[in-house]
Amino acid sequence: MVDLRRFLIRRLITFIPTLIGATLLVYFVAAVVPGNPAKLWAGGEKASAEVVQRIIEEYKLDEPWYVQYYYFMKMLLTGKAISPVTHTNVWAEVLDRFKTVTLPLTMLSFMFIILIGIPLGIISAIKKDTVVDMILRIFALTGISMPIFWLAYLLIAALTGKGLVTLAGFPMPAYSITGIPLIDGLLKGDFEYLSQLLKRLWLPSLLLSYAGIGVLVRLVRNSFLDAYSSDFVEFMLARGFPRRRIYIHVLRNALAPIVTVLGLQFGGLLAGAVITETIFGLPGMGSYMIRAINNFDYLSLMAGVLYVAIIFMVVNLVVDILYAIIDPRVRY
Amino acid sequence: MKANRCRNPIIVVDDLYVNFYTYAGVVKAIDGVSFCIERGETYCLVGETGCGKSVTSRALTRLILPPGKIERGRILYYPEPGKVVDIMKLSEEELRMIRGDEITYIFQDPGTALDPLYTIGYQISETMLVHGYINKIRKGVSRAIQLLKETLIPDPEQRIKSYPHELSGGMKQRAVIATSLANRPRLIIADEPTTALDATVQAQIMELLRNLKKKRGLTILLITHNMGLVAEMCDRVGVMYAGQLVEEAPTEELFRNPLHPYTRALLRAVPNPLRRIEKLESIPGTVPNLIYPPAGCRFHPRCAHVMDTCKRQKPELTRIGNKHYVSCWLYSRR
């Protein structure tokens, strides 16, 4: 336990330079892009010089880069960052999009990835080199290589008329417990609302997960087969273990790379799904970032990048802790 | 049945053929092997790497994984005198119930035989669980401790909580032996159990097997290429070459009076415990490719006494002396 605490503290300290690096990088890339953000923020070509001047002063755009960066970070870290474009608090918007769209979308997609990807990968491995395996491998490869927008429009066309999918608006419950609609609906047992929400989200989640499922099927298949060729499997057969029991041992031995990739996929989903959000008109983190980029909205962009960086660092930390739970040979 | 040379056999193998279907071609790994193991004895199979010792031993419970396949042959298992089980006719499930219960294996490399992610105690208990002797892993703990005691592992109460990587090679092999004793073994098949261990540990493990055999009344099939071990451990020896059993004799008889040219060459190539040799010799030529094995006697291309018949016809295993059998045209009275 002491080891775990020392490990956590050590890792948390490494978070700080990583965050500074990520935001600094984004700040530079954004600041280097030619254009006059103050004018843009003030309303474009027709903006009055007075307003432009006020914005320059307010956001310290005439100061050297390190002052500006420091000032931006201070605003972000004290939670007082007001976007010059939307005139709202950037964190409030990130939190709102995270809670209503990105988190439910991520949870559903991740559920699909795990519930479909892992079993299909195992079946593919057990039925290696049979017709079943071949079909599953084609299915997986399709998921990895098919453009999501193509399949999305195909399915939308096929399904909308049947009342299985809704595309417009975003249903919000009348109550708020955690602020996350999916969880609130579950907590209340409000199935009418949940069915509305699922109608809105199941198709984008499934499509969003398809590429992840493809990756996972292939990965699970290969690491399962890899673990299956270990000597201990033959020794289990020699000890008269039933197949099912052997598969459990093999799966646990195959789990380390699977958990790594699942962690990255989970982080990727939380970082937002630009294409899926655009196709289905969902206001999530992906469209937030795109809007920030298009509007030269450095502050919103830096908030988004901070958010994504923190997500990935936490996910990787969790994955590292999971390694030690899976494999007793791993020590912190 | 020609194979039954035993009075009270525990296992009889008759005319066994095993092939491996590889991309390069069909490997005829076992070619008409017949032998039997007397209840309570230690029977040794010796031969070079790749001669089919391990495959033969695994075939005893049909533990041949694809692309391998038992082509034909009979394998009879006698759990008790007078009671016979035809291994070739058993279902997968019936075989599973014999493997690890009545017929158990000890593999060559204890470092890879155990699952690295589970404790020793868990894996010993699991061996009992899958045969229905306990219904929960936890209930196997006390028996697992007792088994570790029996295999002379120090501090067994602590060791059952250890993971394989926390034990030395010798300790791991003792834990493997403990799993093979977990149920009610009658025949233990030890497939080069000490090859991966150093010499002192090797002696300890063999001593342990000898004592366990005496105490529990076991039968042991020992597979080895170490002639020293053969001399030390075995009652009878079968010599294999390229998938065929070329000679079989009681241990002392084999060392004193080897008949088959291969056995003779083999004994000249290792220090003989019974007589002094000036110089260790090697056997000319190489082990044949078993995809295209030599016709007739598979040893004929390397044999100093090769005759015309050897190239055309496979010699039968013939009785020469008391319990001494050889398959070689030099000795066949035809």
Side-chain angles (χ1 to χ4, degrees):
Chain A
M1 253 5 237
V2 180
D3 282 350
L4 181 64
R5 205 165 68 207
R6 279 221 327 251
F7 168 76
L8 283 176
I9 292 169
R10 217 167 50 225
R11 283 293 293 269
L12 287 171
I13 292 170
T14 66
F15 277 20
I16 297 165
T18 313
L19 288 177
I20 293 174
T23 47
L24 202 58
L25 206 69
V26 171
Y27 169 77
F28 272 126
V29 171
V32 155
V33 175
N36 187 344
K39 205 169 194 176
L40 209 69
W41 295 346
E45 288 304 318
K46 283 176 217 147
S48 67
E50 195 185 313
V51 179
V52 172
Q53 191 53 38
R54 214 182 61 223
I55 286 175
I56 286 176
E57 270 163 30
E58 196 182 334
Y59 289 94
K60 304 210 180 339
L61 294 177
D62 51 354
E63 301 276 350
W65 65 267
Y66 46 87
V67 178
Q68 224 182 89
Y69 172 75
Y70 170 77
Y71 175 67
F72 275 24
M73 284 305 277
K74 199 176 129 195
M75 283 199 289
L76 285 172
L77 294 179
T78 51
K80 289 187 196 115
I82 306 293
S83 159
V85 178
T86 59
H87 304 290
T88 53
N89 188 315
V90 289
W91 288 122
E93 188 168 4
V94 168
L95 199 66
D96 183 48
R97 283 169 179 258
F98 173 75
K99 285 205 292 199
T100 51
V101 175
T102 295
L103 189 63
L105 203 61
T106 299
M107 291 199 312
L108 285 174
S109 292
F110 200 60
M111 192 188 76
F112 283 131
I113 290 178
I114 290 178
L115 293 185
I116 300 174
I118 292 180
L120 289 189
I122 295 172
I123 292 170
S124 186
I126 292 172
K127 302 272 177 196
K128 181 181 164 233
D129 295 334
T130 63
V131 181
V132 179
D133 177 33
M134 204 158 76
I135 292 169
L136 287 174
R137 283 161 79 181
I138 291 171
F139 167 80
L141 199 64
T142 312
I144 296 168
S145 43
M146 179 168 335
I148 187 170
F149 48 85
W150 186 79
L151 192 62
Y153 286 123
L154 213 69
L155 285 175
I156 289 170
L159 293 172
T160 34
K162 307 201 168 55
L164 295 170
V165 177
T166 50
L167 287 175
F170 193 87
M172 289 297 284
Y175 42 84
S176 174
I177 305 166
T178 57
I180 302 165
L182 182 65
I183 290 172
D184 288 353
L186 285 172
L187 288 178
K188 276 251 172 168
D190 184 354
F191 291 108
E192 197 185 334
Y193 172 69
L194 280 178
S195 81
Q196 266 180 34
L197 188 71
L198 286 179
K199 253 188 204 171
R200 183 73 176 99
L201 286 182
W202 78 265
L203 187 58
S205 310
L206 191 63
L207 285 167
L208 184 58
S209 64
Y210 190 16
I213 290 171
V215 171
L216 208 66
V217 168
R218 289 166 65 92
L219 182 76
V220 169
R221 178 184 185 273
N222 292 343
S223 30
F224 193 90
L225 285 175
D226 217 32
Y228 194 79
S229 66
S230 314
D231 283 355
F232 69 78
V233 172
E234 201 181 357
F235 191 51
M236 279 183 214
L237 285 170
R239 283 184 285 159
F241 279 41
R243 295 264 163 200
R244 275 250 305 283
R245 217 175 173 84
I246 295 177
Y247 292 151
I248 292 170
H249 280 264
V250 170
L251 185 63
R252 183 159 171 204
N253 273 274
L255 221 49
I258 297 172
V259 167
T260 311
V261 169
L262 278 177
L264 291 176
Q265 289 185 342
F266 190 70
L269 289 170
L270 279 177
V274 179
I275 299 173
T276 310
E277 284 172 27
T278 309
I279 296 168
F280 290 92
L282 290 166
M285 281 309 295
S287 52
Y288 169 87
M289 297 285 268
I290 288 292
R291 197 197 58 202
I293 292 167
N294 285 340
N295 294 336
F296 283 74
D297 187 350
Y298 307 170
L299 207 55
S300 295
L301 193 60
M302 281 166 75
V305 168
L306 260 178
Y307 155 85
V308 171
I310 291 170
I311 294 272
F312 269 98
M313 286 188 299
V314 171
V315 164
N316 277 327
L317 186 65
V318 171
V319 166
D320 283 349
I321 294 169
L322 283 178
Y323 280 157
I325 293 171
I326 295 166
D327 192 336
R329 286 168 297 183
V330 174
R331 285 279 151 266
Y332 303 118
Chain B
M1 207 160 118
K2 52 189 170 177
N4 203 347
R5 311 186 278 267
C6 298
R7 260 178 290 130
N8 178 16
I10 191 162
I11 206 136
V12 177
V13 176
D14 187 34
D15 216 19
L16 180 73
Y17 286 79
V18 179
N19 287 349
F20 284 82
Y21 293 85
T22 65
Y23 286 113
V26 181
V27 180
K28 291 141 199 109
I30 304 296
D31 186 65
V33 165
S34 304
F35 67 101
C36 61
I37 302 173
E38 203 80 67
R39 190 178 305 281
E41 76 171 337
T42 302
Y43 186 92
C44 277
L45 278 177
V46 293
E48 297 161 80
T49 304
C51 71
K53 317 179 290 273
S54 290
V55 175
T56 305
S57 75
R58 281 168 207 210
L60 295 186
T61 62
R62 277 168 50 200
L63 191 66
I64 303 287
L65 304 177
K69 188 170 173 261
I70 300 179
E71 293 299 325
R72 59 193 169 92
R74 262 163 77 113
I75 301 162
L76 299 179
Y77 165 53
Y78 298 80
E80 284 154 34
K83 215 173 121 191
V84 62
V85 176
D86 188 341
I87 294 280
M88 292 307 289
K89 290 197 177 117
L90 293 184
S91 69
E92 245 332 290
E93 182 61 19
E94 287 166 320
L95 275 172
R96 179 179 90 65
M97 293 312 288
I98 290 181
R99 287 179 198 144
D101 185 4
E102 297 172 33
I103 300 180
T104 61
Y105 286 84
I106 299 168
F107 280 178
Q108 180 173 347
D109 186 358
T112 55
L114 296 167
D115 185 335
L117 307 186
Y118 292 85
T119 61
I120 301 297
Y122 186 95
Q123 298 191 56
I124 295 173
S125 300
E126 212 177 5
T127 313
M128 299 180 238
L129 182 81
V130 297
H131 290 286
Y133 290 105
I134 51 172
N135 53 16
K136 270 200 192 87
I137 293 284
R138 234 178 325 112
K139 294 197 178 157
V141 172
S142 61
R143 174 121 176 86
I145 293 175
Q146 189 205 322
L147 284 163
L148 290 186
K149 248 181 221 152
E150 211 178 331
T151 52
L152 307 177
I153 290 186
D155 200 6
E157 288 84 1
Q158 287 309 309
R159 287 292 82 82
I160 57 157
K161 295 178 211 150
S162 300
Y163 290 93
H165 72 276
E166 295 166 337
L167 301 184
S168 68
M171 290 243 258
K172 266 182 266 192
Q173 194 60 300
R174 287 170 196 273
V176 167
I177 294 172
T179 66
S180 75
L181 296 171
N183 298 320
R184 24 161 221 191
R186 294 197 167 93
L187 171 63
I188 292 191
I189 298 169
D191 187 352
E192 307 203 26
T194 56
T195 305
L197 306 173
D198 63 54
T200 43
V201 179
Q202 191 168 23
Q204 291 167 7
I205 295 284
M206 289 331 284
E207 177 70 25
L208 173 66
L209 279 179
R210 227 185 347 241
N211 289 338
L212 286 171
K213 186 196 152 191
K214 221 183 293 165
K215 212 169 85 195
R216 292 242 197 156
L218 301 167
T219 307
I220 293 179
L221 169 57
L222 179 67
I223 291 157
T224 181
H225 52 237
N226 182 336
M227 284 297 183
L229 276 189
V230 173
E232 201 182 314
M233 294 283 299
C234 299
D235 300 311
R236 285 191 306 142
V237 191
V239 181
M240 287 190 72
Y241 179 78
Q244 295 173 340
L245 191 70
V246 294
E247 184 163 4
E248 183 190 271
T251 309
E252 244 182 72
E253 166 77 5
L254 189 88
F255 280 104
R256 194 167 293 138
N257 183 26
L259 294 177
H260 197 283
Y262 175 68
T263 317
R264 289 180 172 183
L266 193 68
L267 287 176
R268 277 199 302 273
V270 293
N272 187 324
L274 293 186
R275 74 171 83 91
R276 189 178 158 72
I277 314 177
E278 287 305 319
K279 180 169 156 274
L280 292 180
E281 289 172 30
S282 62
I283 306 174
T286 55
V287 182
N289 175 347
L290 293 185
I291 296 175
Y292 308 103
C297 171
R298 286 185 171 184
F299 187 61
H300 85 252
R302 301 172 78 182
C303 185
H305 311 281
V306 60
M307 302 178 288
D308 265 358
T309 333
C310 304
K311 297 176 186 168
R312 279 182 279 109
Q313 224 176 331
K314 180 176 150 186
E316 291 286 335
L317 201 64
T318 332
R319 183 169 182 273
I320 299 295
N322 181 29
K323 293 184 179 176
H324 197 157
Y325 297 79
V326 66
S327 77
C328 178
W329 289 117
L330 286 176
Y331 304 98
S332 93
R333 323 177 191 95
R334 229 177 27 132

